[in-house]
């Protein structure tokens, strides 16, 4: 079932509920009361499903999708798909960073990786020896705070 069909079903569900509330309201001469009751019940149902979604987002496992059908099923499926893609990208980037670190660790020359602001992200053993850098203390520090040669400032 596609998302457009799910939206259409949800709109039909709302329309049917409003029609039934109106019909009961006409029969019992309390249209407004029945409309308020039905729409309040629908709102509570929606809030409950939002609560389930929020709870599930704390640990979105694809195998534990709470709702498999309708509009809410599509929402859960899309979030699970995005979560899987994110995990795959994160794993791939972690592998690339580990390969980079392993390859630069073997270099006899000093290598320091900086972010766009000049903060130290990583350095190899040769850089540690040459500049006296310590991993726990110097990661995240601006390189210019640690290496103060006049040619570095300009």
């Amino acid at each position: 079932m596609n998302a457009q069909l799910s939206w259409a079903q949800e709109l039909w569900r709302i329309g049917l509920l409003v029609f039934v509330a109106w019909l009961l309201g006409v029969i019992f001469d309390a249209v407004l009361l029945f409309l308020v009751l039905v729409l309040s019940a629908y709102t509570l149902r929606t809030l409950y499903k939002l609560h389930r979604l929020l709870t599930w987002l704390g640990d979105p496992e694809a195998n534990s999708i709470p709702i498999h059908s309708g509009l809410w099923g599509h929402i859960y499926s899309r979030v699970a798909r995005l979560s899987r893609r994110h995990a795959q990208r994160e794993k791939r980037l972690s592998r690339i960073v580990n390969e980079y670190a392993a390859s630069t660790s073997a270099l006899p020359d000093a290598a320091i990786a900086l972010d766009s602001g000049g903060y130290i992200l990583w350095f190899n053993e040769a850089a540690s020896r040459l500049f006296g850098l310590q991993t726990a203390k110097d990661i995240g520090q601006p390189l210019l705070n640690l290496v103060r040669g006049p040619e570095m400032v300009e």
Side-chain angles (χ1 to χ4, degrees), residues 79-98:
V79 170
R81 193 175 320 123
L82 288 173
S83 179
R84 280 193 305 273
R85 284 183 193 162
H86 177 74
Q88 289 169 350
R89 283 187 191 124
E90 196 171 288
K91 185 184 282 187
R92 188 181 79 232
L93 287 174
S94 178
R95 184 177 39 85
I96 290 169
V97 167
N98 289 339

PDB file of all heavy atoms in Angstrom, residues 79-98:
ATOM      1  N   VAL A  79      10.856   5.891   8.838  1.00  0.00           N
ATOM      2  CA  VAL A  79      11.819   6.206   9.892  1.00  0.00           C
ATOM      3  C   VAL A  79      12.815   5.052  10.050  1.00  0.00           C
ATOM      4  O   VAL A  79      14.017   5.275  10.190  1.00  0.00           O
ATOM      5  CB  VAL A  79      11.114   6.515  11.230  1.00  0.00           C
ATOM      6  CG1 VAL A  79      12.110   6.606  12.370  1.00  0.00           C
ATOM      7  CG2 VAL A  79      10.316   7.801  11.118  1.00  0.00           C
ATOM      8  N   ALA A  80      12.317   3.807   9.998  1.00  0.00           N
ATOM      9  CA  ALA A  80      13.204   2.647  10.114  1.00  0.00           C
ATOM     10  C   ALA A  80      14.185   2.604   8.945  1.00  0.00           C
ATOM     11  O   ALA A  80      15.374   2.320   9.135  1.00  0.00           O
ATOM     12  CB  ALA A  80      12.379   1.357  10.165  1.00  0.00           C
ATOM     13  N   ARG A  81      13.709   2.913   7.744  1.00  0.00           N
ATOM     14  CA  ARG A  81      14.574   2.925   6.562  1.00  0.00           C
ATOM     15  C   ARG A  81      15.644   4.002   6.704  1.00  0.00           C
ATOM     16  O   ARG A  81      16.832   3.751   6.439  1.00  0.00           O
ATOM     17  CB  ARG A  81      13.726   3.167   5.307  1.00  0.00           C
ATOM     18  CG  ARG A  81      14.453   2.883   4.027  1.00  0.00           C
ATOM     19  CD  ARG A  81      13.559   3.012   2.786  1.00  0.00           C
ATOM     20  NE  ARG A  81      12.221   2.485   2.994  1.00  0.00           N
ATOM     21  CZ  ARG A  81      11.095   3.197   2.835  1.00  0.00           C
ATOM     22  NH1 ARG A  81      11.148   4.452   2.452  1.00  0.00           N
ATOM     23  NH2 ARG A  81       9.919   2.650   3.037  1.00  0.00           N
ATOM     24  N   LEU A  82      15.254   5.198   7.146  1.00  0.00           N
ATOM     25  CA  LEU A  82      16.234   6.268   7.356  1.00  0.00           C
ATOM     26  C   LEU A  82      17.248   5.895   8.433  1.00  0.00           C
ATOM     27  O   LEU A  82      18.431   6.192   8.314  1.00  0.00           O
ATOM     28  CB  LEU A  82      15.523   7.568   7.733  1.00  0.00           C
ATOM     29  CG  LEU A  82      14.755   8.259   6.620  1.00  0.00           C
ATOM     30  CD1 LEU A  82      13.955   9.439   7.178  1.00  0.00           C
ATOM     31  CD2 LEU A  82      15.683   8.733   5.523  1.00  0.00           C
ATOM     32  N   SER A  83      16.779   5.245   9.476  1.00  0.00           N
ATOM     33  CA  SER A  83      17.672   4.825  10.552  1.00  0.00           C
ATOM     34  C   SER A  83      18.692   3.797  10.048  1.00  0.00           C
ATOM     35  O   SER A  83      19.877   3.870  10.398  1.00  0.00           O
ATOM     36  CB  SER A  83      16.850   4.240  11.699  1.00  0.00           C
ATOM     37  OG  SER A  83      17.682   3.815  12.730  1.00  0.00           O
ATOM     38  N   ARG A  84      18.222   2.845   9.238  1.00  0.00           N
ATOM     39  CA  ARG A  84      19.150   1.855   8.666  1.00  0.00           C
ATOM     40  C   ARG A  84      20.181   2.520   7.761  1.00  0.00           C
ATOM     41  O   ARG A  84      21.370   2.198   7.823  1.00  0.00           O
ATOM     42  CB  ARG A  84      18.386   0.796   7.879  1.00  0.00           C
ATOM     43  CG  ARG A  84      17.750  -0.275   8.727  1.00  0.00           C
ATOM     44  CD  ARG A  84      17.278  -1.455   7.885  1.00  0.00           C
ATOM     45  NE  ARG A  84      16.388  -1.072   6.806  1.00  0.00           N
ATOM     46  CZ  ARG A  84      15.062  -0.949   6.900  1.00  0.00           C
ATOM     47  NH1 ARG A  84      14.476  -1.179   8.052  1.00  0.00           N
ATOM     48  NH2 ARG A  84      14.334  -0.610   5.864  1.00  0.00           N
ATOM     49  N   ARG A  85      19.735   3.451   6.922  1.00  0.00           N
ATOM     50  CA  ARG A  85      20.668   4.160   6.029  1.00  0.00           C
ATOM     51  C   ARG A  85      21.702   4.931   6.836  1.00  0.00           C
ATOM     52  O   ARG A  85      22.888   4.929   6.506  1.00  0.00           O
ATOM     53  CB  ARG A  85      19.915   5.124   5.121  1.00  0.00           C
ATOM     54  CG  ARG A  85      19.195   4.456   3.995  1.00  0.00           C
ATOM     55  CD  ARG A  85      18.546   5.503   3.109  1.00  0.00           C
ATOM     56  NE  ARG A  85      17.606   4.890   2.195  1.00  0.00           N
ATOM     57  CZ  ARG A  85      16.673   5.542   1.565  1.00  0.00           C
ATOM     58  NH1 ARG A  85      16.529   6.845   1.742  1.00  0.00           N
ATOM     59  NH2 ARG A  85      15.861   4.915   0.742  1.00  0.00           N
ATOM     60  N   HIS A  86      21.227   5.597   7.889  1.00  0.00           N
ATOM     61  CA  HIS A  86      22.141   6.358   8.738  1.00  0.00           C
ATOM     62  C   HIS A  86      23.180   5.439   9.374  1.00  0.00           C
ATOM     63  O   HIS A  86      24.370   5.766   9.404  1.00  0.00           O
ATOM     64  CB  HIS A  86      21.344   7.106   9.809  1.00  0.00           C
ATOM     65  CG  HIS A  86      22.200   7.864  10.771  1.00  0.00           C
ATOM     66  ND1 HIS A  86      22.836   9.028  10.445  1.00  0.00           N
ATOM     67  CD2 HIS A  86      22.538   7.589  12.055  1.00  0.00           C
ATOM     68  CE1 HIS A  86      23.530   9.451  11.487  1.00  0.00           C
ATOM     69  NE2 HIS A  86      23.361   8.601  12.476  1.00  0.00           N
ATOM     70  N   ALA A  87      22.743   4.292   9.876  1.00  0.00           N
ATOM     71  CA  ALA A  87      23.667   3.336  10.503  1.00  0.00           C
ATOM     72  C   ALA A  87      24.677   2.817   9.479  1.00  0.00           C
ATOM     73  O   ALA A  87      25.867   2.665   9.801  1.00  0.00           O
ATOM     74  CB  ALA A  87      22.890   2.182  11.127  1.00  0.00           C
ATOM     75  N   GLN A  88      24.225   2.550   8.256  1.00  0.00           N
ATOM     76  CA  GLN A  88      25.138   2.074   7.211  1.00  0.00           C
ATOM     77  C   GLN A  88      26.168   3.141   6.858  1.00  0.00           C
ATOM     78  O   GLN A  88      27.359   2.845   6.717  1.00  0.00           O
ATOM     79  CB  GLN A  88      24.361   1.665   5.962  1.00  0.00           C
ATOM     80  CG  GLN A  88      23.562   0.396   6.132  1.00  0.00           C
ATOM     81  CD  GLN A  88      22.590   0.167   4.972  1.00  0.00           C
ATOM     82  OE1 GLN A  88      22.369   1.028   4.133  1.00  0.00           O
ATOM     83  NE2 GLN A  88      22.002  -1.022   4.951  1.00  0.00           N
ATOM     84  N   ARG A  89      25.715   4.393   6.726  1.00  0.00           N
ATOM     85  CA  ARG A  89      26.652   5.491   6.428  1.00  0.00           C
ATOM     86  C   ARG A  89      27.653   5.672   7.556  1.00  0.00           C
ATOM     87  O   ARG A  89      28.843   5.881   7.322  1.00  0.00           O
ATOM     88  CB  ARG A  89      25.882   6.794   6.213  1.00  0.00           C
ATOM     89  CG  ARG A  89      25.217   6.886   4.883  1.00  0.00           C
ATOM     90  CD  ARG A  89      24.615   8.274   4.671  1.00  0.00           C
ATOM     91  NE  ARG A  89      23.758   8.258   3.515  1.00  0.00           N
ATOM     92  CZ  ARG A  89      22.494   8.608   3.514  1.00  0.00           C
ATOM     93  NH1 ARG A  89      21.926   9.026   4.630  1.00  0.00           N
ATOM     94  NH2 ARG A  89      21.770   8.561   2.418  1.00  0.00           N
ATOM     95  N   GLU A  90      27.153   5.613   8.786  1.00  0.00           N
ATOM     96  CA  GLU A  90      28.033   5.777   9.936  1.00  0.00           C
ATOM     97  C   GLU A  90      29.087   4.672   9.976  1.00  0.00           C
ATOM     98  O   GLU A  90      30.264   4.935  10.242  1.00  0.00           O
ATOM     99  CB  GLU A  90      27.198   5.768  11.214  1.00  0.00           C
ATOM    100  CG  GLU A  90      27.916   6.286  12.415  1.00  0.00           C
ATOM    101  CD  GLU A  90      26.981   6.454  13.594  1.00  0.00           C
ATOM    102  OE1 GLU A  90      26.147   7.377  13.568  1.00  0.00           O
ATOM    103  OE2 GLU A  90      27.099   5.650  14.530  1.00  0.00           O
ATOM    104  N   LYS A  91      28.664   3.447   9.694  1.00  0.00           N
ATOM    105  CA  LYS A  91      29.599   2.321   9.679  1.00  0.00           C
ATOM    106  C   LYS A  91      30.643   2.499   8.571  1.00  0.00           C
ATOM    107  O   LYS A  91      31.834   2.280   8.786  1.00  0.00           O
ATOM    108  CB  LYS A  91      28.832   1.011   9.462  1.00  0.00           C
ATOM    109  CG  LYS A  91      29.706  -0.227   9.560  1.00  0.00           C
ATOM    110  CD  LYS A  91      28.922  -1.485   9.247  1.00  0.00           C
ATOM    111  CE  LYS A  91      28.076  -1.899  10.412  1.00  0.00           C
ATOM    112  NZ  LYS A  91      27.426  -3.202  10.212  1.00  0.00           N
ATOM    113  N   ARG A  92      30.182   2.935   7.384  1.00  0.00           N
ATOM    114  CA  ARG A  92      31.098   3.139   6.271  1.00  0.00           C
ATOM    115  C   ARG A  92      32.095   4.255   6.587  1.00  0.00           C
ATOM    116  O   ARG A  92      33.305   4.112   6.356  1.00  0.00           O
ATOM    117  CB  ARG A  92      30.314   3.465   5.001  1.00  0.00           C
ATOM    118  CG  ARG A  92      31.202   3.496   3.752  1.00  0.00           C
ATOM    119  CD  ARG A  92      30.428   3.842   2.501  1.00  0.00           C
ATOM    120  NE  ARG A  92      30.230   5.294   2.493  1.00  0.00           N
ATOM    121  CZ  ARG A  92      29.079   5.911   2.339  1.00  0.00           C
ATOM    122  NH1 ARG A  92      27.981   5.222   2.173  1.00  0.00           N
ATOM    123  NH2 ARG A  92      28.988   7.222   2.344  1.00  0.00           N
ATOM    124  N   LEU A  93      31.615   5.366   7.144  1.00  0.00           N
ATOM    125  CA  LEU A  93      32.512   6.472   7.484  1.00  0.00           C
ATOM    126  C   LEU A  93      33.496   6.072   8.576  1.00  0.00           C
ATOM    127  O   LEU A  93      34.669   6.453   8.530  1.00  0.00           O
ATOM    128  CB  LEU A  93      31.703   7.694   7.926  1.00  0.00           C
ATOM    129  CG  LEU A  93      30.980   8.429   6.811  1.00  0.00           C
ATOM    130  CD1 LEU A  93      30.089   9.526   7.394  1.00  0.00           C
ATOM    131  CD2 LEU A  93      31.942   9.020   5.807  1.00  0.00           C
ATOM    132  N   SER A  94      33.047   5.297   9.532  1.00  0.00           N
ATOM    133  CA  SER A  94      33.936   4.822  10.586  1.00  0.00           C
ATOM    134  C   SER A  94      35.038   3.940  10.002  1.00  0.00           C
ATOM    135  O   SER A  94      36.210   4.053  10.392  1.00  0.00           O
ATOM    136  CB  SER A  94      33.133   4.050  11.629  1.00  0.00           C
ATOM    137  OG  SER A  94      33.978   3.546  12.615  1.00  0.00           O
ATOM    138  N   ARG A  95      34.657   3.091   9.058  1.00  0.00           N
ATOM    139  CA  ARG A  95      35.648   2.221   8.402  1.00  0.00           C
ATOM    140  C   ARG A  95      36.671   3.061   7.642  1.00  0.00           C
ATOM    141  O   ARG A  95      37.874   2.817   7.720  1.00  0.00           O
ATOM    142  CB  ARG A  95      34.940   1.243   7.463  1.00  0.00           C
ATOM    143  CG  ARG A  95      35.865   0.241   6.815  1.00  0.00           C
ATOM    144  CD  ARG A  95      35.110  -0.754   5.935  1.00  0.00           C
ATOM    145  NE  ARG A  95      34.021  -0.178   5.179  1.00  0.00           N
ATOM    146  CZ  ARG A  95      34.134   0.432   3.988  1.00  0.00           C
ATOM    147  NH1 ARG A  95      35.309   0.551   3.437  1.00  0.00           N
ATOM    148  NH2 ARG A  95      33.086   0.911   3.363  1.00  0.00           N
ATOM    149  N   ILE A  96      36.202   4.094   6.929  1.00  0.00           N
ATOM    150  CA  ILE A  96      37.103   4.966   6.169  1.00  0.00           C
ATOM    151  C   ILE A  96      38.055   5.696   7.110  1.00  0.00           C
ATOM    152  O   ILE A  96      39.259   5.789   6.847  1.00  0.00           O
ATOM    153  CB  ILE A  96      36.294   5.969   5.312  1.00  0.00           C
ATOM    154  CG1 ILE A  96      35.596   5.229   4.168  1.00  0.00           C
ATOM    155  CG2 ILE A  96      37.181   7.073   4.762  1.00  0.00           C
ATOM    156  CD1 ILE A  96      34.570   6.077   3.424  1.00  0.00           C
ATOM    157  N   VAL A  97      37.530   6.210   8.218  1.00  0.00           N
ATOM    158  CA  VAL A  97      38.376   6.917   9.186  1.00  0.00           C
ATOM    159  C   VAL A  97      39.409   5.963   9.779  1.00  0.00           C
ATOM    160  O   VAL A  97      40.585   6.311   9.939  1.00  0.00           O
ATOM    161  CB  VAL A  97      37.517   7.577  10.293  1.00  0.00           C
ATOM    162  CG1 VAL A  97      38.366   8.026  11.463  1.00  0.00           C
ATOM    163  CG2 VAL A  97      36.732   8.735   9.714  1.00  0.00           C
ATOM    164  N   ASN A  98      38.999   4.750  10.097  1.00  0.00           N
ATOM    165  CA  ASN A  98      39.941   3.765  10.651  1.00  0.00           C
ATOM    166  C   ASN A  98      41.020   3.411   9.640  1.00  0.00           C
ATOM    167  O   ASN A  98      42.194   3.266  10.002  1.00  0.00           O
ATOM    168  CB  ASN A  98      39.203   2.515  11.112  1.00  0.00           C
ATOM    169  CG  ASN A  98      38.390   2.767  12.359  1.00  0.00           C
ATOM    170  OD1 ASN A  98      38.651   3.705  13.104  1.00  0.00           O
ATOM    171  ND2 ASN A  98      37.382   1.941  12.585  1.00  0.00           N
TER     172      ASN A  98
END
